[in-house]
Amino acid sequence: MAAKAPDYQPVKRRGHSTVRVGDYLYMWGGDQPDLPEVHDNEKKKSMCSVMEVCHLRTGRWEQKPTTGNPPLGVRGYAAAAIGREIFYFGGYCNHDVCYHNSLYSFNVDTFKWKELSPTTSHHGPMMKHHCDMIAIKVNGEDYLVVIGGYGPSSNNIPKQPGAQYSEGLIPGNQQCNEIHFYKLSTDWLH
């Protein structure tokens, strides 16, 4: 009798998120073995162009390819789902002090990435990781709310009025209590 092949299991990782949509868990990114410590290259893009999917009813994992360009902030990003879309904000790029404040969507039906708001140090939330994001509905409109975070103090301007910033554990970094809203129907971030 032949031995049964073991079921697929994702590689070990940290700094990732797992989001539930329907009967599935979607796990992406994180610090994984052999993840290049560079801004972007073919190996990093290849590793980040897959989604780990777990069917909750069976407990089986599978790795599925994605299309489009995935976020560069692969560690410590925030994630939340609205309907059949998972949204990813910010994150650490896995090299130097490269943090992001971009917003991406991932469609669980098409497995396609879409950049909604690019990374910039001139507007929006500070470039950061270890923040959180929730999805809310206000007067029938879908919003994403990005809260707090940790990132460099040198290139994050302007600061959000009324928010508090304090020196982080690593010199040159800061933590904050910023709260930003992203209105999905208008691609409006404030």
Side-chain angles (χ1 to χ4, degrees):
M1 184 163 152
K4 181 182 174 191
D7 289 337
Y8 171 77
Q9 291 293 310
V11 300
K12 63 183 180 179
R13 65 190 69 211
R14 66 186 173 98
H16 64 286
S17 288
T18 304
V19 178
R20 179 180 178 184
V21 177
D23 289 336
Y24 294 89
L25 295 177
Y26 297 86
M27 183 172 68
W28 176 80
D31 187 12
Q32 306 170 43
D34 301 322
L35 181 67
E37 293 183 11
V38 298
H39 184 68
D40 194 14
N41 70 10
E42 286 305 312
K43 181 177 180 181
K44 183 177 180 183
K45 185 173 181 177
S46 174
M47 289 179 73
C48 295
S49 292
V50 295
M51 182 67 70
E52 310 282 356
V53 182
C54 179
H55 187 246
L56 291 172
R57 293 179 191 236
T58 65
R60 296 197 131 186
W61 284 94
E62 62 181 310
Q63 189 179 68
K64 293 187 172 188
T66 65
T67 60
N69 291 318
L72 290 173
V74 299
R75 293 173 45 189
Y77 57 83
I82 296 176
R84 308 290 292 165
E85 299 276 332
I86 303 173
F87 298 90
Y88 294 84
F89 173 82
Y92 173 64
C93 196
N94 206 39
H95 79 286
D96 299 329
V97 288
C98 187
Y99 298 91
H100 294 266
N101 63 357
S102 55
L103 180 66
Y104 282 76
S105 68
F106 177 78
N107 184 291
V108 301
D109 295 322
T110 64
F111 276 72
K112 184 172 184 170
W113 292 101
K114 180 180 178 186
E115 184 178 48
L116 302 176
S117 177
T119 288
T120 176
S121 62
H122 303 297
H123 72 81
M126 68 183 244
M127 296 184 297
K128 58 190 169 182
H129 72 323
H130 296 307
C131 56
D132 208 349
M133 182 168 61
I134 60 171
I136 63 171
K137 195 174 278 284
V138 177
N139 297 326
E141 295 277 351
D142 287 318
Y143 287 83
L144 295 167
V145 183
V146 177
I147 305 163
Y150 187 83
S153 52
S154 61
N155 63 350
N156 276 304
I157 51 175
K159 295 188 182 315
Q160 184 184 34
Q164 296 175 354
Y165 301 84
S166 61
E167 190 67 27
L169 297 173
I170 301 170
N173 283 291
Q174 62 186 344
Q175 51 198 19
C176 72
N177 68 347
E178 292 180 338
I179 300 174
H180 289 269
F181 296 86
Y182 187 88
K183 187 175 182 181
L184 290 179
S185 65
T186 61
D187 292 341
W188 180 56
L189 183 65
H190 77 280

